[in-house]
């Protein structure tokens, strides 16, 4: 491409792109790659004051994310903040509101779409917004200050994102959807109903199946409420419309180009309009009677037009994969293939519903159950990438195997034509060829080369599997990088932080990584920093790195409330402390339950109540039980030799000693322990991460056991240890695990993955084979010496206490969406109407 050369140079042609959204940006970038001869001089005219940015991640703008796409370079002329007002097809020029006329040899209309605002009374009131651009979000954020309630009209993809944003601004939020269930274009009724349960449990009010009749003003003339067709009235000091889109086809209409009956610029399979010099791509284009609103088909159109401009006459648009995966307020939601295929004859729907875990899975197969046609996943979408890649092909197992796991394809098993990244239309074969032909060795290189995983990111796990399979087949050592932002595994990052004294994520990523980090590496690094004693987890930058429960030092429950779990070391508690727990539960109206870990959980606390509850508990001598953290939970015990006629050692005293020693110890995953006073094993020590069983001569130490979905019996590490010898062995075992395990890896799978297994572990921690036992001992002593109760520290710090509010603009206001009913003389979350019935467990 040549700067400053126009029509006077016969070797250079002029391309004008109207609009500068994601599709336009993709078009220009692909054309720059393919137009090596510099045939086209490109001018991009966009009416927004900003250049192109990532609309898929629009909501993250409110969290401070930088959404801007990389600039095109000096060879592309970009006119931001300038609107094209007309097209002269005869003269081949476009006119702008700045008074310019810009000539073209080829014109691409990438004007996108406009939000659809239903024609209801009050839609033009102050306080009513649409949800489409960064400017829209800035206006919503500014207007939300001082208001307490909001409503979003539209329960589709963007509508739920908008509802999340409104709730995040501190407003009670309602979602109004005219269809009977949420996300009706992507989910079937069962999936939509399960999503509703999730959304309502997080404090949003969902009104589905009933249209609104009007927006009503308050005394100040601004919107104050939404009136529903059934007469219900919703408080709403702010209303956001996100009820669909309409193609921006006004320029095409103005110059006489054909448009669809319901809008959209008519184009052929090459995305060319009736005028051979004019193309249309993205949400403004109508292809075979369809306007596409997802990023994948918009990018596909951009690449086709880039191909046509680069003399690839065979480039055609062959439709689009409607699959989608997203995380809405922590809820995984996905659909792939045709999620409604079972409405037709010759297809079968196989459904699994777990209303307790709030998981809904549905796959649709051919009538012979051999071909996968589509599916819906809500609450657990881990298998999405592999299943989407299998659509149209052989079912990778029986339907029940597909629903319950264990059939996910390895990278090397996928057919080459399988589309792995539907956003960018990247096949498995494209990725394999890129890895082998260009000697790519890490995920970042694959993403940069193929664009796979660079849009929504849902295909990244499968892309990584393909990369690993190719490298393994070629005899290349597979990278254990924790994510694309670091070239190191979690264990390597641990050693880097330990050796260098780095105390912040920012410094770590600046010196040893790249980019800004992600949801994988940030919590992992936060855990490492906590394990190495780098201050309180809510201190400064560390607070932003934590997982969900750590943000409020409590476990989030299904209805948006939190549980309070004070530590009860070894399960031993005095009557006085029992009374305190009872009084706290009574005074705050909490549900109480004795747990399998021999302590008492208090459920139903609102976030603004947590400091007051913990003030009472801390004053009575309690500490945080760390039920919310990846850390030591409990050390169970039987009564041991003190009371039991079969006990041979004082199991209670040992359990208390261990729990007080390892309390607050942050690890790759949660840690559980138990101490049994004899071989009868009443404390179930052999199902714990580290379990102790008394013998006549001391203690036997068992490690790497767990219950859960994959129970594992613990292995005997050492026998007949003395009290001090047992403590030393556990110290070293835990610190070696913390130092070397992968992120979110329990001790059971860690030991299974450890080269040399149990024998090697025994050599390291009992025989000091690596010469690191002194380091492990010292690390544990530093933890013990530095321990401080997290909740006690919060209560003493006014700045940390400021985060414990339901609404930032009304700190003392409780969330009115949280309701309870009474069962067996205790509260429980109010049953939500419309929850799906269980189809099968």
């Amino acid at each position: 491409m040549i700067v400053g050369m126009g029509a006077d140079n016969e070797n250079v042609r002029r391309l004008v792109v109207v609009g500068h959204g994601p599709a336009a940006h993709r078009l220009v970038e692909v054309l720059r790659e393919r137009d090596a001869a510099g045939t086209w001089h490109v001018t991009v005219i966009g009416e927004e004051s900003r250049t192109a940015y990532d609309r898929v991640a629009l909501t993250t703008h409110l969290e401070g994310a930088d959404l801007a796409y990389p600039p095109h370079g000096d060879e592309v002329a970009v006119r931001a903040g300038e609107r094209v007002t007309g097209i002269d097809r005869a003269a081949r020029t476009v006119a702008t509101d700045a008074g310019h006329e810009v000539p073209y040899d080829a014109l691409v209309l990438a004007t996108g779409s406009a939000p659809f605002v239903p024609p209801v009374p009050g839609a033009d009131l102050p306080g009513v917004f649409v949800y489409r651009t960064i400017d829209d979000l800035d206006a919503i954020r500014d207007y939300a200050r001082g208001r307490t309630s909001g409503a979003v009209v539209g329960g589709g993809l963007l509508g739920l994102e908008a509802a999340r944003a409104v709730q995040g601004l501190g407003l009670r939020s309602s979602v109004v959807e005219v269809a009977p269930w949420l996300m009706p274009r992507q989910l079937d009724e069962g999936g939509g109903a399960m999503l509703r349960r999730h959304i309502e449990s997080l404090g949003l009010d969902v009104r589905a199946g009933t249209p609104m009749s009007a927006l009503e003003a308050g005394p100040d003339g601004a919107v104050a409420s939404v009136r529903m067709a059934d007469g219900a009235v919703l408080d709403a000091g702010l209303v956001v419309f996100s009820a669909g889109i309409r193609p921006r086809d006004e320029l095409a209409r103005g110059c006489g180009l054909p448009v669809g009956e319901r809008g959209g610029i008519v184009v052929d399979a090459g995305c060319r309009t009736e005028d051979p010099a004019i193309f249309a791509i993205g949400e403004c284009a109508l292809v075979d009677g369809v306007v596409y609103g997802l990023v994948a088909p918009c990018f596909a159109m951009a690449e086709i037009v880039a191909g046509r401009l680069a003399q690839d006459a065979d480039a055609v648009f062959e439709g689009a994969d409607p699959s989608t995966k997203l995380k809405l307020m922590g809820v995984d939601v996905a659909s792939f293939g045709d999620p409604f295929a079972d409405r037709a004859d010759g297809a079968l729907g196989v459904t699994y519903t777990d209303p307790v875990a709030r998981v809904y899975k549905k796959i649709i197969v051919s009538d012979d159950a051999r071909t996968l046609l589509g599916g819906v996943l809500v609450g657990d979408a881990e298998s999405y990438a592999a299943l989407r890649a299998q659509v149209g092909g052989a079912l990778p197992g029986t339907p029940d195997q597909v629903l319950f796991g264990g059939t996910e394809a390895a990278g090397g098993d996928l057919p080459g034509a399988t589309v792995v990244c539907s956003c960018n239309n990247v096949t498995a074969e494209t990725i394999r060829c890129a890895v082998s032909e260009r000697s790519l060795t890490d995920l970042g290189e694959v993403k940069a080369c193929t664009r796979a995983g660079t849009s929504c990111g849902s295909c990244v796990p499968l892309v990584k599997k393909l990369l690993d399979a190719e490298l393994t087949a070629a005899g290349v050592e597979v990278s254990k990088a924790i994510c694309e932002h670091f070239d190191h595994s979690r264990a390597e990052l641990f050693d880097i932080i330990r050796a260098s004294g780095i105390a912040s994520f920012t410094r770590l990523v600046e010196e040893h990584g790249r980019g800004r980090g992600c949801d994988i590496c940030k919590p992992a690094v936060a855990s490492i920093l906590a394990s190495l004693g780098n201050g309180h987890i809510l201190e400064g930058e560390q607070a932003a790195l934590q997982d969900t429960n750590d943000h409020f030092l409590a476990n989030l429950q299904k209805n948006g409330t939190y549980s309070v779990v004070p530590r009860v070391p070894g399960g031993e508690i005095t009557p006085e402390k029992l009374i305190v727990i009872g009084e706290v539960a009574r005074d705050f109206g909490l549900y109480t339950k004795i747990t399998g870990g021999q302590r008492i959980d208090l459920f139903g606390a609102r976030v603004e109540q947590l400091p007051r509850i913990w003030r009472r508990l801390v004053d009575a001598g309690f500490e945080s039980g760390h039920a919310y953290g990846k850390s030591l939970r409990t050390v169970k015990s039987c009564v041991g030799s003190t009371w039991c006629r079969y006990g041979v050692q004082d199991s209670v005293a040992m359990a208390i000693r261990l729990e007080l020693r390892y309390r607050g110890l942050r690890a790759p995953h949660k840690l559980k322990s138990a101490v049994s006073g004899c071989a009868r094993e009443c404390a179930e020590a052999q199902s714990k991460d580290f379990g102790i069983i008394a013998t006549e001569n001391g203690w036997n130490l068992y490690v790497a056991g767990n219950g859960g979905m994959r129970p594992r019996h613990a292995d005997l590490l050492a026998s007949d240890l003395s009290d001090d010898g047992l403590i030393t062995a556990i110290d070293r075992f835990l610190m070696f695990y913390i130092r070397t395990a992968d992120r979110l890896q329990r001790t059971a799978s860690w030991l299974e993955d450890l080269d040399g297994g149990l024998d090697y572990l025994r050599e390291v921690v009992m025989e000091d084979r690596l010469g690191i036992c002194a380091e492990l001992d010292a690390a544990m002593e530093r933890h013990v010496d530095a321990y401080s109760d997290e909740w006690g520290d919060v209560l003493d710090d006014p700045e940390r206490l400021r985060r414990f509010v339901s609404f930032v603009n009304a700190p003392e206001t409780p969330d009115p969406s949280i309701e309870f009913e009474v069962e067996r003389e205790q509260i429980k979350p109010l049953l939500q109407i419309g929850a799906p019935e269980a189809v099968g467990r």
Side-chain angles (χ1 to χ4, degrees):
M1 293 184 181
I2 303 173
V3 181
M5 300 188 70
D8 292 338
N9 187 320
E10 62 181 12
N11 295 320
V12 175
R13 306 183 68 196
R14 298 161 300 190
L15 171 65
V16 174
V17 181
V18 180
H20 201 201
H25 187 274
R26 172 58 61 88
L27 165 71
V28 174
E29 288 301 291
V30 175
L31 184 59
R32 288 177 66 206
E33 294 175 2
R34 299 183 183 180
D35 185 28
T39 304
W40 292 97
H41 175 260
V42 181
T43 300
V44 182
I45 307 173
E47 66 181 17
E48 284 194 67
S49 59
R50 297 173 175 83
T51 55
Y53 55 87
D54 183 2
R55 294 187 190 274
V56 174
L58 184 63
T59 302
T60 63
H61 169 70
L62 295 176
E63 301 167 4
D66 180 7
L67 303 182
Y69 285 144
H72 296 302
D74 294 338
E75 67 269 31
V76 177
V78 177
R79 298 185 179 187
E82 190 170 352
R83 182 170 60 88
V84 172
T85 57
I87 302 170
D88 186 334
R89 292 168 57 190
R92 291 196 174 183
T93 61
V94 299
T96 75
D97 61 356
H100 299 133
E101 284 195 355
V102 185
Y104 67 83
D105 295 300
L107 174 66
V108 178
L109 299 177
T111 46
S113 61
F116 171 65
V117 178
V120 295
D124 57 350
L125 287 172
V128 179
F129 301 87
V130 295
Y131 197 86
R132 192 67 180 158
T133 67
I134 287 178
D135 288 341
D136 292 333
L137 266 66
D138 288 341
I140 290 169
R141 177 176 54 197
D142 293 342
Y143 193 85
R145 295 190 178 98
R147 288 168 174 79
T148 60
S149 61
V152 174
V153 180
L157 284 169
L158 197 58
L160 294 177
E161 281 289 315
R164 166 197 169 197
V166 171
Q167 187 184 51
L169 292 171
L171 279 67
R172 299 189 304 276
S173 184
S174 299
V175 179
V176 178
E177 170 56 53
V178 67
W181 61 84
L182 298 174
M183 290 181 62
R185 292 181 178 272
Q186 290 82 24
L187 304 180
D188 66 349
E189 184 173 6
M194 186 64 77
L195 176 60
R196 177 174 181 163
R197 290 192 69 187
H198 278 283
I199 297 300
E200 289 183 329
S201 75
L202 296 174
L204 275 80
D205 176 31
V206 177
R207 303 297 178 101
T210 303
M212 64 177 179
S213 59
L215 303 182
E216 298 178 335
D220 60 354
V223 69
S225 60
V226 178
R227 180 169 293 277
M228 305 297 292
D230 61 4
V233 178
L234 310 179
D235 290 338
L238 178 151
V239 173
V240 178
F241 278 104
S242 185
I245 58 175
R246 294 293 182 267
R248 291 281 303 274
D249 56 14
E250 61 268 24
L251 288 176
R253 293 177 185 272
C255 69
L257 290 173
V259 297
E261 183 178 347
R262 300 186 61 187
I265 305 167
V266 176
V267 297
D268 61 17
C271 297
R272 195 188 300 267
T273 69
E274 180 183 76
D275 187 326
I278 303 178
F279 299 83
I281 62 173
E283 295 174 339
C284 68
L286 182 72
V287 190
D288 290 332
V290 179
V291 172
Y292 292 92
L294 297 176
V295 66
C298 294
F299 283 173
M301 292 182 219
E303 297 195 7
I304 284 157
V305 172
R308 290 294 179 111
L309 294 172
Q311 306 305 310
D312 179 5
D314 296 328
V316 294
F317 182 73
E318 298 177 342
D321 179 1
S323 302
T324 186
K325 176 178 179 288
L326 66 159
K327 186 180 283 288
L328 291 166
M329 290 170 280
V331 182
D332 285 320
V333 180
S335 66
F336 53 92
D338 182 355
F340 308 109
D342 57 334
R343 294 178 180 176
D345 293 336
L348 304 172
V350 184
T351 304
Y352 164 75
T353 303
D354 183 347
V356 177
R358 297 198 295 273
V359 170
Y360 177 88
K361 297 182 180 184
K362 178 180 182 179
I363 60 168
I364 304 169
V365 299
S366 57
D367 56 3
D368 61 1
R370 294 183 177 180
T371 304
L372 181 63
L373 303 178
V376 171
L377 305 169
V378 177
D380 177 7
E382 185 176 352
S383 58
Y384 167 76
L387 289 176
R388 184 192 64 188
Q390 298 283 351
V391 170
L395 196 68
T398 62
D400 62 311
Q401 287 174 329
V402 173
L403 284 173
F404 293 105
T407 64
E408 187 168 326
D413 298 334
L414 286 178
T418 301
V419 176
V420 173
C421 176
S422 60
C423 291
N424 298 291
N425 197 31
V426 184
T427 65
E429 186 62 23
T430 299
I431 295 171
R432 292 186 182 117
C433 289
V435 172
S436 60
E437 294 174 4
R438 303 195 182 191
S439 300
L440 307 181
T441 59
D442 66 52
L443 184 59
E445 291 177 341
V446 175
K447 292 171 70 175
C449 179
T450 66
R451 291 199 178 96
T454 58
S455 295
C456 76
S458 62
C459 64
V460 168
L462 195 53
V463 175
K464 182 66 165 63
K465 286 189 174 184
L466 282 163
L467 170 64
D468 290 351
E470 285 300 297
L471 294 177
T472 300
V476 179
E477 184 177 356
V478 175
S479 169
K480 295 182 180 179
I482 191 170
C483 70
E484 63 189 273
H485 300 103
F486 292 97
D487 295 327
H488 307 284
S489 66
R490 181 202 171 275
E492 291 168 342
L493 288 176
F494 187 98
D495 285 337
I496 289 171
I497 295 171
R498 178 178 59 85
S500 65
I502 289 175
S504 71
F505 179 85
T506 298
R507 183 183 163 195
L508 181 68
V509 77
E510 285 176 352
E511 296 182 10
H512 299 279
R514 66 188 72 85
R516 296 172 297 184
C518 63
D519 291 341
I520 295 175
C521 61
K522 284 182 177 179
V525 171
S527 173
I528 294 172
L529 292 172
S531 297
L532 291 171
N534 283 281
H536 198 282
I537 65 168
L538 298 184
E539 185 70 36
E541 181 192 60
Q542 284 202 63
L545 305 177
Q546 304 299 330
D547 282 323
T548 302
N549 291 328
D550 286 309
H551 283 301
F552 292 116
L553 305 184
N555 277 347
L556 178 66
Q557 303 302 316
K558 64 186 293 183
N559 67 335
T561 61
Y562 291 84
S563 63
V564 173
V565 189
R567 185 171 300 286
V568 181
E572 182 181 80
I573 189 168
T574 65
E576 289 75 18
K577 285 191 173 182
L578 273 175
I579 291 170
V580 170
I581 290 178
E583 289 176 340
V584 168
R586 178 197 62 205
D587 294 348
F588 288 91
L590 306 177
Y591 171 85
T592 56
K593 175 73 171 65
I594 296 175
T595 76
Q598 296 183 343
R599 52 188 181 180
I600 301 173
D601 281 14
L602 311 177
F603 292 85
R606 299 190 305 271
V607 66
E608 73 275 3
Q609 292 178 312
L610 291 173
R612 287 182 284 144
I613 291 171
W614 274 105
R615 180 78 276 169
R616 295 266 298 271
L617 293 171
V618 169
D619 287 348
F622 285 103
E623 297 180 347
S624 169
H626 291 95
Y628 50 81
K630 303 294 189 291
S631 56
L632 178 75
R633 297 293 176 84
T634 63
V635 182
K636 289 176 59 175
S637 71
C638 64
V639 294
S641 59
T642 304
W643 291 93
C644 178
R645 57 199 176 105
Y646 299 110
V648 294
Q649 301 288 350
D650 189 349
S651 55
V652 177
M654 179 56 71
I656 293 172
R657 181 178 177 184
L658 295 177
E659 188 157 347
L660 295 181
R661 183 171 183 81
Y662 304 127
R663 57 187 172 179
L665 180 64
R666 294 279 168 160
H669 213 299
K670 62 186 175 183
L671 294 166
K672 295 183 178 182
S673 181
V675 183
S676 288
C678 73
R680 285 174 172 79
E681 245 281 72
C682 294
E684 302 168 331
Q686 293 175 86
S687 64
K688 307 302 180 186
D689 294 283
F690 60 103
I692 299 93
I693 299 178
T695 71
E696 295 285 351
N697 301 314
W699 308 96
N700 287 350
L701 174 60
Y702 294 82
V703 297
N706 67 245
M709 294 181 66
R710 291 183 59 218
R712 184 183 191 278
H713 202 279
D715 294 320
L716 179 63
L717 182 66
S719 303
D720 294 331
L721 297 170
S722 66
D723 287 8
D724 290 342
L726 174 66
I727 297 293
T728 298
I730 298 174
D731 285 356
R732 295 172 180 177
F733 164 74
L734 290 176
M735 281 303 173
F736 189 55
Y737 159 67
I738 291 170
R739 178 185 286 199
T740 59
D742 200 357
R743 58 177 290 272
L744 301 180
Q745 188 175 37
R746 291 291 299 272
T747 57
S749 59
W750 167 72
L751 183 58
E752 290 171 356
D753 290 346
L754 193 65
D755 287 342
L758 181 67
D759 290 339
Y760 175 72
L761 176 64
R762 186 178 291 114
E763 291 173 354
V764 171
V765 301
M766 304 304 296
E767 302 169 17
D768 201 12
R769 171 178 171 176
L770 300 181
I772 61 171
C773 283
E775 294 178 17
L776 302 177
D777 295 342
M780 185 60 77
E781 289 305 321
R782 285 193 296 271
H783 160 75
V784 173
D785 293 342
Y787 171 77
S788 182
D789 176 39
E790 287 176 353
W791 260 111
D793 294 340
V794 165
L795 295 173
D796 293 336
D797 188 333
E799 187 62 30
R800 293 174 188 158
L801 283 172
R802 289 179 58 187
R803 69 172 46 238
F804 292 91
V805 294
S806 289
F807 302 106
V808 295
N809 53 1
E812 300 302 319
T813 302
D815 188 343
S817 67
I818 295 174
E819 298 180 86
F820 300 99
E821 57 185 333
V822 176
E823 181 178 76
R824 297 186 297 276
E825 301 182 43
Q826 292 209 79
I827 63 165
K828 73 171 187 176
L830 182 66
L831 177 66
Q832 302 291 343
I833 304 301
E837 296 295 327
V839 176
R841 291 294 304 274

